[in-house]
Amino acid sequence: MGPLVARLGRAGQRLRQADRARPWVLDTTVVLLVLLMFCLPDLLHAGAGDGDGPRHARLAFTRPSVAAMSALQAGLLLPLLWRRRRPLAAFGAVWAVFVLQWSLDVALRADVALFIALYSLALHGRLRQLPWACGAGAAGMALVAVRVSPAVSVWDALFFLLSTATAALALGLVVRIRRAQLAGLRDRAARLEIERDQRSRLAAATERARVAREMHDIVGHNLSVIITLADAGAYATDTAPERGKEALHLIGDTGRQALGELRRVLGVLREAADGPPGAPELSPQPGIADIGALCEGVRAAGLDIVYRSAGDVDALDDGVQLTAYRIAQEALTNTLKHAGAGTRARLSIAVEDTRLTIRVQDTGPAVRPGPPNEEGQGLVGMRERAALYGGTVSAGPAGGGWRVAVCLDLASAGGAA
């Protein structure tokens, strides 16, 4: 049963495609079928008598000539050729010929064209036209019921005719509703496909932004430290070779640390793309506990850093700790890049109720180089990270140096453990 239904479905789909390409073929086929099934029998028996049967059941209808019968049949059938393009006009033409035919007391099998026209009007026409068409059709069928009353009760004939018309009308409406439902489903599927593509592009853009932010924090910070150490080592090579050697060791340690962080980030990305959902990370991301090591590395580059923490920072979840680490890393990198070695800086991280505050204050120049009224990528990255937790970032000159203050709302994103 399954393969048969599938073959029928494919055949129906091919038929619909062919009908959309050449609609006149189906319209002509319908007219030819009605001609063969209903018109030819009347033409072949045009000269016959009234037929056999009981005398009281015989109906005395006018027997027109072959030419007149052909003209009436053509008037009933030809309008069906435009029943889909102009359904109301087709129904009106068929109805007019139908009424004329029965007014002349002529009975034709081709009257089935009226029901086909009514079906086409229900399927392709405007719904507000149906009441008028139904009224006209009922009037025409009442005329038929009166004409056949010598053999059949008027009410029985009217019941049969109106039932047939109702069936044609209902079939047209059912097919119309089904087509509308299928069109709605296709439209919904197309919209869902577009929304899926948009979500995929948005997710890809978000992931690219996150990766770019992580790479900027890792590469930018460590390169700033390496460049500062390299400059200091080159300066100390002639005057203090031991200090130059120490700078080279520190450069190697910083480079290995940067390489380890890059591998960790890329490993997590590969795991997220290839591994099963919810799989654990290959290695933990840095948190507040790693800020001490971060300060040690920056001190080796020449900054004098004082680090303080207050509150239960270890109770914060991993996301908040990573955000705090990256913000502190970026602020210290900016201090190292713009203020240079020998600058004193104070870093403080404090947890108070549902707020996490990060402050970095240095004694470097209050005016940082760069285009006026334009933020660097580092400050933009800090604002993006803080926005994830409903936080705010303020940066500017303060106390003869430069200060960065970040406040995160832990309650807004469930940051507190």
Side-chain angles (χ1 to χ4, degrees), residues 2-14:
L4 178 60
V5 173
R7 283 195 296 271
L8 290 176
R10 288 192 295 268
Q13 185 176 4
R14 287 194 294 268

Side-chain angles (χ1 to χ4, degrees), residues 35 38 48 57 67 87 107 132 142 161 166 170 195 202 211 226 261 264 275 301 314 380 390 405 414:
L35 175 65
F38 299 98
W132 300 99
L161 294 172
T166 302
E195 292 176 1
L202 181 61
V211 172
I226 289 173
E261 292 191 16
R264 178 167 56 243
D314 294 332
V380 171

